[in-house]
Amino acid sequence: VTCLYAQWMMKFLIKYETNSSDYKNASLDLPSNVTHDGSVCGNDTQAALLAIQFGDGHSWSVNFTETNETYQADFITFTYNTNDAAVFPDAKRKGPVTVVVKDSMHPVQLNNVFVCHHTTSFEAENVTQFFWNITMQPFVQNGTIGKTETRCHADTPTAAPTVVPTAANVTTASTTTSSPAPTTAPKPVENPVTGNYSLKSGNKTCLLATVGLQLNVSQDKPLLININPKTTSVDGTCGNTSATLKLNDGNSTLIDFTFIVNASASVRKFYLKEVNVTLLNHLNGSVILNADNNNFSKWDAFLGNSYMCRKEQTLEINEDLQVHTFNLWVQPFLVKENKFAIAQECSLDDDTILIPIVVGAALAGLIVIIVIAYIIGRRKSYAGYQTL
């Protein structure tokens, strides 16, 4: 007799450390052979448990609780095994790693089937879990699956669906048969909206960032994608020497910025070290593009200060992706009273450098004019002496 029914798709993106102290991103998908040992039906007094095992020592589980004629998912436990060299080549840490997250699912009426076609995600401890096409019902009564569906918020008509980046929803330049095709990705008419992002450690703000973000994707067909702050969630970590800001735009675009402190220098400064970008298809969770560059040395400022650059900057992630930033202001360390500290501005914003250049050019021009006038005057005087 069926007591728990579940059908869904999921995948995992995992950031792990290598033996060379660099970080790589691993993508873990479910194979065709999945077992479900240890699953429990549950009842009024015992939680239901859905547990699966797959691959080389990986497992995942979720427990469901029943309260007042409703049920809901409680905790998700995911264990991945870095001994799986096919998924985690050159991993520094060996063995199983367990991540536990609280499920945000709202209570569902008993005997109703929970359905969610849109992609949802959970992010914790360098692991992002993606789920889509979910159909499930714990505490099935009399072995019969319910006839009534309860849809997730993302599936309801009133909710704006996540839009996968395509040529139809980004701004591109039109072409005609008489004009040659553009060789570079065209710019949108408007710059991206500037978003305000922050992270907290306990009750204190530990990272502040204000920035407008635009992706320039040249893979297959050139695309320009503006990141919408209204649909972007924020996560990340703060530390004394390392901080990471994780932005998730509607579960279709993930951008991670990692900052570190240069502890070897006599004067301690922070700078941007790494940027990772993942584009996902929200309908099936597949990875459209994953790009990473961990060799940056940009956006540097003295520790305790902030970094500002109002002009457009470009971060070259790889040959297929650029990240453009606008109105940037960031402070990843030592934030006080939820406010930015004194800003160290980029050279692009420093208009004062033009003043000595202009003055110098003017003086050089004046000297040239004086020298020419002097030479001409001397020649005239010399000609006059010869006539006499």
Side-chain angles (χ1 to χ4, degrees), residues 98-156:
T98 299
V99 177
V100 180
V101 295
K102 174 71 174 176
D103 198 314
S104 58
M105 175 183 175
H106 294 291
V108 178
Q109 192 70 31
L110 280 175
N111 209 34
N112 281 15
V113 180
F114 176 75
V115 178
C116 192
H117 294 308
H118 278 66
T119 301
T120 58
S121 67
F122 298 93
E123 187 170 356
E125 300 179 34
N126 292 328
V127 176
T128 306
Q129 307 180 46
F130 299 93
F131 309 89
W132 67 99
N133 290 345
I134 302 171
T135 302
M136 67 181 184
Q137 182 187 344
F139 309 108
V140 175
Q141 301 176 16
N142 302 320
T144 304
I145 307 300
K147 303 295 184 182
T148 305
E149 291 184 353
T150 296
R151 292 274 185 161
C152 64
H153 177 70
D155 281 1
T156 57

Side-chain angles (χ1 to χ4, degrees), residues 262-314:
N262 186 357
S264 61
S266 57
V267 179
R268 302 182 74 190
K269 302 179 74 173
F270 71 82
Y271 63 93
L272 177 69
K273 169 66 174 175
E274 180 178 2
V275 179
N276 178 269
V277 180
T278 302
L279 300 181
L280 297 171
N281 186 325
H282 80 285
L283 296 178
N284 58 24
S286 62
V287 176
I288 300 174
L289 175 66
N290 179 252
D292 180 81
N293 188 333
N294 60 2
N295 292 314
F296 284 118
S297 183
K298 296 179 176 291
W299 304 356
D300 60 309
F302 293 112
L303 198 62
N305 289 0
S306 61
Y307 175 84
M308 177 185 289
C309 196
R310 292 183 292 267
K311 301 292 179 63
E312 178 182 356
Q313 292 188 97
T314 299

Side-chain angles (χ1 to χ4, degrees), residues 196-199 232-236 245-248:
N196 298 309
Y197 310 104
S198 64
L199 292 177
T232 299
S233 60
V234 184
D235 199 355
L245 174 66
K246 297 175 176 287
L247 303 179
N248 184 338

Side-chain angles (χ1 to χ4, degrees), residues 27 49 67 140 145 152 201 214 249 254 261 321 325 337 346 360:
S27 177
L49 178 68
T67 307
V140 175
I145 307 300
C152 64
S201 178
Q214 181 184 89
D249 185 6
L254 311 176
V261 175
L321 179 66
T325 64
E337 299 180 353
C346 64

